[in-house]
Structures are given as C-alpha cells and as structure tokens.
Amino acid sequence: QMTQSPSSLSASVGDRVTISCRASQSIRNLLNWYQQKPGKAPKLLIYTASSLLSGVPSRFSGSGSGTNFTLTISDLHPEDFANYFCQQSYSTPHYTFGQGTNLEMK
Amino acid sequence: EVVLVESGGGVVQPGGSLRLSCEASGFIFRSYWMNWVRQGPEKGLVWVARINSDADMTDYADSVKGRFTISRDNARNTLYLDMNSLRAEDTAVYYCVRWAHWAFDFWGQGTLVTVSS
C-alpha cells in the first residue's frame, strides 16, 4: 500500500515543493512518479526512485529507498500545476499507485 | 515517437461485454510487455492486466480475474482487452500502457467505459 502526502498542496510559481510517498513495506528503489493534467493521461517523470526520464526537465528530482520517497520540484513553472502520483513496482504484478497529490496555484 | 491509441469504449449494461483495442506505433511493439490501467470516477489509478512480449504470459488484478482477458497481436501492433460480465464498478477510463524501466513509461489517451443500465 502506498500513502502519499499531502493530498493537496498550494504553491506559487518559483517555489520549491516536495511530495512524499510512503510504502507499507520496503520496496527497495522500485518507486515511480507520474504527472497528470486534467483530461490527459499520466506521464512518467521519475523511475526507480531517482532516474529522470529523458525529456523531463531537470527541476524534477526524486529520492528515497525502502519505504520513504520524495518528489521535489524546484523552481515551479506554470505548467507544473497538476496531479502527481507515486507507484510501486516491487509487488509484481500487483502494481499499486498512491492516491495522488493535487498541486494547485496559490 | 511512441503513440498508443485506444478504441472500443462506450456505454454497456451491467453483465454486458466490450472489447478494447490499442494500436501502437513508433516503437518495436513485439519487444515490450504491455498493460491496461484504469482510472475510475474517484480518479484513483488501478493496474488491471499485463501481457508479456511473446503473449504467452498474462496477469490480472483480483477484481477482474476470470472476467477480463488481455491479448495481443504482434503482427498488427495491437493490444486488446476483452471485458465480460461488466459491473458498475468497472466504469473508468482505460489506458493502454507500455512497460519499461520498471515503470509505465508511455500511456495512450484512454478510452471511457461506462457500465450503466
């Protein structure tokens, strides 16, 4: 089970924000982060906890291992306001997602 | 450019059936495991099913096991999801998703399935 916090977050352009994801048991580094905008499909940002997918801006970063993980967005851009989900790939094939974090503009 | 295009969604009565399709392009389809992931009205994401690249291994979420069947045609670069005995709780947007880097790395735009009388 994946628990994300906070469920919603208000921030301003230029801010640095952190979203957390906690696993109920160790999942090593098998944790991924996705961004989803309204009416659109999710997009992979970070895989295996800290690897940035090619083409994703470097202001996105991920860290953590075991049970605690974070997604950090430094220098928020207007296009970054969206929903963010974590997802574990440890319990194959029963992959599970966090409930999401709604990042909105203050 | 990787492109995944789903089709086949619609409105169906409880107990009915539906077949979803996903046409893939821009990558070597036969080399990748593929999945279906759904997102219901409450907006949570739920993994539904997966199939390996050779189409000889499949897995399902407990909630759909015995009712849904995932398959693929590598010659046609197409992924399928046959859904039977549909229930109201199956109502969702269904995404076709590629598996790589231990993650769901590319997603289709989704197709809406509504189960309602």
Side-chain angles (χ1 to χ4, degrees):
Chain A
Q1 186 173 350
M2 308 303 297
T3 304
Q4 259 183 264
S5 61
S7 57
S8 64
L9 178 59
S10 294
S12 301
V13 171
D15 283 355
R16 175 187 177 95
V17 298
T18 298
I19 298 169
S20 297
C21 187
R22 177 175 294 181
S24 57
Q25 64 179 59
S26 175
I27 57 171
R28 293 170 18 201
N29 69 333
L30 296 176
L31 190 283
N32 308 307
W33 290 99
Y34 302 84
Q35 177 193 68
Q36 185 178 31
K37 296 182 179 179
K40 301 292 187 182
K43 289 185 176 181
L44 178 65
L45 300 173
I46 304 280
Y47 60 95
T48 56
S50 59
S51 297
L52 193 68
L53 189 70
S54 177
V56 174
S58 59
R59 61 182 180 273
F60 291 92
S61 64
S63 65
S65 66
T67 60
N68 290 300
F69 302 86
T70 57
L71 171 69
T72 300
I73 313 171
S74 59
D75 187 24
L76 267 176
H77 283 42
E79 61 267 30
D80 299 337
F81 293 97
N83 278 295
Y84 292 86
F85 294 90
C86 62
Q87 173 257 322
Q88 64 81 20
S89 298
Y90 181 81
S91 300
T92 304
H94 299 286
Y95 311 116
T96 50
F97 294 82
Q99 77 276 22
T101 295
N102 180 29
L103 175 58
E104 56 185 15
M105 195 177 297
K106 189 181 291 183
Chain B
E1 180 194 7
V2 174
V3 177
L4 299 167
V5 180
E6 301 94 336
S7 60
V11 180
V12 60
Q13 291 189 339
S17 299
L18 214 53
R19 173 177 247 205
L20 306 184
S21 299
C22 169
E23 291 190 29
S25 60
F27 66 103
I28 303 173
F29 180 71
R30 65 180 180 274
S31 295
Y32 288 84
W33 292 47
M34 296 295 295
N35 298 259
W36 289 97
V37 175
R38 69 186 182 186
Q39 187 169 34
E42 76 286 352
K43 301 304 181 186
L45 291 161
V46 177
W47 170 79
V48 172
R50 73 171 184 177
I51 186 167
N52 69 343
S53 53
D54 292 333
D56 58 6
M57 195 194 86
T58 58
D59 290 292
Y60 299 91
D62 289 344
S63 59
V64 307
K65 197 175 294 183
R67 300 188 298 123
F68 289 13
T69 301
I70 188 172
S71 61
R72 65 192 296 164
D73 183 338
N74 286 340
R76 296 178 183 271
N77 290 342
T78 303
L79 177 72
Y80 302 100
L81 185 68
D82 288 294
M83 304 185 295
N84 297 313
S85 302
L86 282 161
R87 307 167 180 167
E89 54 264 36
D90 296 318
T91 293
V93 175
Y94 284 74
Y95 294 103
C96 164
V97 193
R98 193 179 80 168
W99 180 256
H101 310 296
W102 283 89
F104 300 112
D105 74 332
F106 279 99
W107 299 59
Q109 86 288 351
T111 187
L112 177 62
V113 173
T114 302
V115 184
S116 174
S117 55

